[in-house]
Amino acid sequence: VIPGWFSEISPMWPGEAHSLKMEKILFQGKSDYQNVMVFQSSTYGKVLVLDGVIQLTERDECAYQEMITHLPLCSIPNPKKVLVIGGGDGGVLREVARHASVEKIDICEIDKMVVDVSKQFFPDIAVGFEDPRVTLTVGDGVAFLKDVPEGTYDAVIVDSSDPIGPAQELFEKPFFASVAKALRPGGVVCTQAESIWLHMHIIEDIVANCRQIFKGSVNYAWTTVPTYPSGMIGFMLCSTEGPLVDFKHPVNPLSENDSQQSRPLKFYNSEV
Ligand code: AAT
């Protein structure tokens, strides 16, 4: 460990650690679920860290939040009801809110401290909570889904941390089954699905489970995020039985209007 630098060390990526130079630690706290830290980095803006793992930086969060949101939402016509699991920073909400067809955005985040810290230190990300269509539930995404009536959502986005800690169950088969149940026929899910350079065993399990559960299409996508382990992160993109969803040919592009508000898209576009 180099003094004055943050190093991301975890058994999920043994033998390597990405480091960022720290200017100042802005927040350190312990919630009921995890250690929460925010620091000012020299070159990536402010950084949010949970249990020693980088969740986002101001410089590259766009690549993750835009992709995990628009890959599913641009693949179905007129998404109306959207559920976000995790994502307590508000970045995915900000992206969902670009879609004018959306009428209701539910979010279930386990850790209220993440929401509070994001509102305090990341206003350009937590801005997602200001959309009037958003309803926040603080709780476990697994429990939340158990109470969702069948066929409620057009899309579910699982913006979860890694499977060590409170997010473990979000990578397991019963969770995927409850997501499928919560979706309407031909509804879509996009989940954070780790890196092909580090977690092929986890990805193989997820793909095998999803092939059994989602009778529509099952795909793996990925994007570059320099501050995530190995510099990239993947997504599981699936649809339920019903109108077939072709994730490779999105039918619902963001309009000029959606993407050129006061906060233009930075990463996602139809060509990407
Ligand atoms: N958008 C930033 C990226 C994240 S945030 C992941 C969020 O999932 C965290 O706020 C965490 O508190 C929340 N979370 C974890 N477990 C649960 C659960 N069981 N129910 C609801 N929310 C949960 C992801 C970063 C990926 C990092 C890659 N290395």
Side-chain angles (χ1 to χ4, degrees), residues 9-14 16 53 161-164 171 194-195 198-199 201-202 229:
I9 295 170
S10 162
M12 284 197 65
W13 37 93
E16 62 185 276
V53 176
S161 30
D162 298 319
I164 296 181
F171 290 79
E194 303 297 348
S195 162
L198 298 168
H199 308 117
H201 53 291
I202 300 176

Side-chain angles (χ1 to χ4, degrees), residues 104-118:
K104 188 171 164 46
I105 312 172
D106 292 334
I107 174 167
C108 178
E109 158 65 49
I110 203 166
D111 196 343
K112 177 148 187 304
M113 192 181 280
V114 174
V115 177
D116 294 340
V117 159
S118 185

Side-chain angles (χ1 to χ4, degrees), residues 34 50 53-56 64-65 86-89 108-111 114 139-141 159-162 166-167 170 192 228-229 233:
Q34 51 210 350
L50 299 177
V53 176
I54 294 173
Q55 305 295 300
L56 59 83
Y64 176 80
Q65 326 258 34
D89 51 86
C108 178
E109 158 65 49
I110 203 166
D111 196 343
V114 174
D140 185 352
D159 176 16
S160 88
S161 30
D162 298 319
L170 305 183
Q192 192 272 88
Y228 283 164
I233 195 154

Side-chain angles (χ1 to χ4, degrees), residues 216-258:
S217 51
V218 175
N219 298 258
Y220 189 81
W222 58 270
T223 188
T224 64
V225 181
T227 59
Y228 283 164
S230 83
M232 63 172 296
I233 195 154
F235 307 106
M236 217 47 226
L237 267 175
C238 307
S239 68
T240 52
E241 191 165 24
L244 195 65
V245 178
D246 179 358
F247 290 104
K248 287 176 187 156
H249 299 97
V251 295
N252 180 33
L254 278 163
S255 68
E256 294 286 289
N257 207 17
D258 297 323

